[in-house]
């Protein structure tokens, strides 16, 4: 099962991702200062050839909201600062602040119309394009990009591992919708982890080809801390509750057992150690920085509806595609009721997740994969 | 009044542009062979620096349908053929067929979601991006593009000339919706023509900066033949009838006279001589070819509903934005009735329009405007 249709709720209504992604916005804010420092320190202003290239930036997994705009703005300000300070350098008088061409990337099903309206409304000082396609494959020509950014996107697998849906496999995840759900077999987690390894490899392969030597890449992703069992994560609680609501609905005949058994969520929460190891093993990127970001303030602690909405905007499309449009209103109502009586929102023992920031530099001397 | 909201009917339903643009498709077909010949003859394969640039193609005014895909496909096939034949040339062994990066441009209100779904469904052999913004200003970085294409887009003015809406002006177009409408003053046409001159100047200024020296540009646009009065064109009949339907509706109180007086259609049909002169006068482009294209088969001759639909898909958004969504069903019903009893669809004396094809090359030695 290909997950080529993962996208956030579009538009700008009350259930839209655009209006319900405060958590992601805070992460972009936390990364701003460290990213500016690292751009000042690591960017080689000579990586663009001003005769035939603007400075090209891409955000992979941009979705539709203001967060991609903010992240890009932070990058461009830092790069401009670097070029401006370089202009003072008498030894390189020819290097001026370049023109910027920014590519917003997401799957073809993403709501680019909403994105474009938002970006244009902010009158950016760069040229704006949307570039549809899965970032687990090539999206750009070779040696074209100077800076790549991806925030909270690498936790979406390119597909659900086949064995998770296979009745004959030890990894069959009957009656549950995620590997972290209470009671899931170890083999389910292994299948997800294996898929993640392949996906990260594919992501890094593609970016290694698309970035110029010396090109930079910033990644933010959500992890479960080293040594924590997936089932002890806050996501596990959410997905276990959502799964039990679906099970209740199956028991009432609203959907079939088969329908439920054939559904799993395509999210994988890596650990910091797993992610760092995969990047190092890949070999095409130097890790300049790899660090934990502060935890965003959870306004949701006191507001179950906000907590429900933050899960709904990212998962609703997946439920609708599989179970039909009619079930989600009831599903999230049931979810809200069960969540309200669970301690996950209030008890700090469930704070076992953390967002990590990785700042990478494309090596100049390794062979390019696939080229 | 800025016409920043001109766009075709989106989506892919029965009233969509995507499903009602056969006329435009035939024009793209007619230009295929001559474009391939001219690319073979005029393209300098050395205009790209393969170390830092793919071959960049842009379609200006792409809309949402299959026509932009076809046009781009024709260009890319011809450029590939040129590079392949060049590969046989032992003197330039380093020049291989490059990677292609294609930019689909239209106003930010264009339905890029439908466009992206269509293009991806065809699995193109190039990298695809959408780039929103008015082509009467800069859309790309300097010296970035290698081939620009624009079909049936330059007839949309960037705005309605102010004097046409000014009660005190001799160019006030009271009770009519276009300069070609029966009874319009000469000053109305002059105001439209003046705006067109400014717009073409702005278009050529921007493209002159964005195209590399030696870069190529193909333009297809609809003209009224030299010496023909605008009021003797088939567009004049259509817009006079549409205007009279609106006048009937105003008389019935469905809309106010003021509302009608403040509406004009933003289309200008240049003459071949006017267009050629404007390009020559601009000075940044050599005209390699300037010729009349065959007239597309008008299936509409025998089918009034098809004729109505072909006008509806390009004008409906404009009527809705000004008069509200509720009036267009009635407007086009009235239009169909009046059109049915008019000889315009059947009588060849109204064939005073023609599509022209211009193939231009960015000069290498002129100064760049605005740079």
């Amino acid at each position: 099962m290909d997950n080529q249709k993962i996208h956030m709720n579009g538009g700008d209504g009350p259930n839209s991702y655009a209006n319900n992604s405060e958590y992601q916005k805070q992460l972009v804010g936390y990364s701003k200062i460290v990213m500016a420092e690292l751009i000042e320190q690591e960017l080689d202003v000579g990586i663009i050839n001003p005769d035939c290239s603007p400075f090209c930036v891409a955000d992979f997994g941009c979705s539709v909201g203001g967060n991609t705009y903010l992240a890009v703005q932070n990058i461009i300000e830092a790069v401009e600062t670097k070029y401006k300070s370089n202009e003072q350098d008498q030894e390189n008088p020819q290097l001026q602040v370049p023109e910027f061409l920014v590519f917003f990337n997401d799957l073809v099903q993403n709501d680019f119309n909403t994105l474009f309206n938002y970006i244009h409304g902010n009158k950016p000082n760069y040229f704006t394009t949307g570039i549809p396609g899965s970032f687990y494959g090539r999206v750009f020509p070779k040696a074209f990009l100077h800076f790549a950014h991806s925030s909270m996107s690498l936790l979406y697998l390119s597909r659900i591992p086949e064995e998770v849906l296979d009745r004959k496999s030890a990894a069959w995840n009957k009656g549950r919708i995620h590997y972290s759900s209470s009671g899931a077999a170890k083999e389910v987690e292994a299948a997800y982890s294996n898929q993640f390894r392949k996906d990260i490899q594919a992501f890094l392969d593609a970016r290694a080809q698309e970035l110029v030597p010396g090109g930079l890449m910033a990644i933010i992703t959500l992890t479960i801390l080293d040594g924590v069992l997936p089932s002890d994560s806050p996501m596990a609680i959410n997905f276990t509750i959502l799964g039990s609501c679906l099970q209740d609905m199956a028991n009432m005949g609203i959907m079939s057992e088969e329908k439920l058994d054939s559904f799993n969520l395509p999210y994988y929460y890596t650990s910091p150690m797993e992610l760092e190891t995969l990047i190092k093993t890949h070999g095409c990127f130097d890790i300049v920085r790899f660090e934990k970001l502060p935890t965003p303030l959870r306004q949701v602690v006191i507001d179950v509806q906000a907590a429900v909405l933050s899960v709904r905007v990212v998962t609703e499309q997946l439920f609708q595609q599989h179970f039909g449009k009619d079930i989600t209103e009831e599903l999230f109502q049931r979810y809200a009721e069960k969540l309200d009586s669970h301690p996950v929102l209030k008890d700090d023992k469930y704070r076992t997740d953390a967002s990590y920031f990785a700042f990478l530099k494309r090596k100049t001397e390794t062979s390019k994969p696939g080229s």
Side-chain angles (χ1 to χ4, degrees), chain A residues 3 13 15 25 33 49 52 65 137 157 162 173 188-189 206 210-211 250 255 264 273 286 314 330 346-347 359:
Chain A
N3 274 298
N15 288 348
K25 181 178 176 183
I33 293 172
N49 177 343
C52 62
L157 295 179
E162 279 172 23
N173 201 21
V188 183
E189 184 195 349
E210 294 165 358
L211 280 160
M255 64 190 65
N264 278 263
M273 195 189 295
D286 285 319
V314 295
E330 179 172 349
K346 292 137 201 152
D347 191 334
F359 195 88

Side-chain angles (χ1 to χ4, degrees), chain A residues 218-238:
Chain A
I219 294 170
I220 297 175
T221 196
L222 188 57
T223 70
I224 297 175
L225 292 172
D226 293 318
V228 174
L229 288 173
S231 55
D232 289 340
S233 67
M235 305 75 147
I237 314 295
N238 289 330

Side-chain angles (χ1 to χ4, degrees), chain A residues 311-365:
Chain A
V311 171
R312 182 170 183 164
V313 293
V314 295
T315 59
E316 183 164 24
Q317 298 289 330
L318 292 165
F319 288 118
Q320 287 191 347
Q321 283 164 26
H322 188 81
F323 296 106
K325 289 210 170 190
D326 300 336
I327 69 111
T328 52
E329 206 54 51
E330 179 172 349
L331 173 62
F332 286 103
Q333 223 157 30
R334 289 171 175 271
Y335 174 56
E337 285 162 23
K338 292 200 183 190
L339 191 65
D340 201 24
S341 60
H342 195 283
V344 63
L345 294 180
K346 292 137 201 152
D347 191 334
D348 272 351
K349 80 170 180 178
Y350 295 103
R351 303 281 161 271
T352 54
D353 57 332
S355 292
Y356 264 73
F357 173 79
F359 195 88
L360 314 181
K361 189 168 190 172
R362 176 71 173 95
K363 291 182 188 177
T364 52
E365 285 167 32

Side-chain angles (χ1 to χ4, degrees), chain A residues 71-301:
Chain A
V72 163
Q73 204 61 32
N74 295 344
I75 292 163
I76 287 186
E77 282 172 18
V79 173
E80 278 182 337
T81 301
K82 174 76 180 185
Y83 273 91
K84 278 180 190 155
S85 69
N86 194 265
E87 277 181 350
Q88 316 298 326
D89 178 356
Q90 297 302 318
E91 290 180 24
N92 281 305
Q94 81 285 9
L95 283 166
Q96 297 176 325
V97 176
E99 292 186 308
F100 290 90
L101 182 56
V102 176
F103 296 83
F104 293 94
N105 161 261
D106 212 314
L107 292 175
V108 68
Q109 294 79 11
N110 185 54
D111 185 355
F112 282 95
N113 291 347
T114 297
L115 174 73
F116 286 163
N117 274 289
Y118 182 85
I119 302 284
H120 262 240
N122 281 281
K123 303 191 185 307
N125 64 342
Y126 49 80
F127 299 103
T128 303
T129 87
I131 187 155
S134 167
F135 54 54
Y136 292 124
R138 285 279 301 283
V139 185
F140 288 96
K142 287 185 184 173
F144 180 77
L145 289 179
H146 305 101
F147 199 106
H149 178 266
S150 186
S151 181
M152 302 295 271
S153 301
L154 287 175
L155 50 87
Y156 296 87
L157 295 179
S158 68
R159 54 186 296 142
I160 299 292
E162 279 172 23
E163 52 271 50
V164 167
L165 304 173
D166 179 2
R167 290 172 171 274
K168 296 172 194 155
S169 167
W172 187 34
N173 201 21
K174 177 173 172 49
R176 282 171 291 268
I177 62 170
H178 197 239
Y179 70 91
S180 71
S181 300
S182 176
K186 284 231 160 195
E187 286 83 355
V188 183
E189 184 195 349
Y192 269 77
S193 171
N194 195 37
Q195 185 62 49
F196 178 71
R197 186 180 48 73
K198 287 184 205 162
D199 284 346
I200 289 291
Q201 173 87 30
F203 179 85
L204 295 174
D205 280 356
R207 300 301 86 75
Q209 291 182 68
E210 294 165 358
L211 280 160
V212 300
L216 302 174
M217 176 151 67
I219 294 170
I220 297 175
T221 196
L222 188 57
T223 70
I224 297 175
L225 292 172
D226 293 318
V228 174
L229 288 173
S231 55
D232 289 340
S233 67
M235 305 75 147
I237 314 295
N238 289 330
F239 299 151
T240 301
I241 296 177
L242 270 170
S244 82
C245 295
L246 287 166
Q247 185 66 64
D248 293 345
M249 291 164 78
N251 293 345
M252 292 172 68
I254 297 172
M255 64 190 65
S256 69
E257 286 285 339
E258 287 72 26
K259 198 78 184 162
L260 176 54
D261 291 345
S262 59
F263 181 80
N264 278 263
L265 289 166
Y267 312 128
Y268 181 75
Y269 304 93
T270 185
S271 68
M273 195 189 295
E274 183 181 40
L275 179 59
E276 194 173 9
T277 303
L278 286 171
I279 297 170
K280 279 186 183 161
T281 311
H282 184 269
C284 287
F285 294 90
D286 285 319
I287 299 180
V288 179
R289 187 70 64 92
F290 190 84
E291 68 180 32
K292 188 170 174 291
L293 290 175
T295 305
L297 297 169
R298 291 177 189 259
Q299 308 159 293
V300 296
V301 174

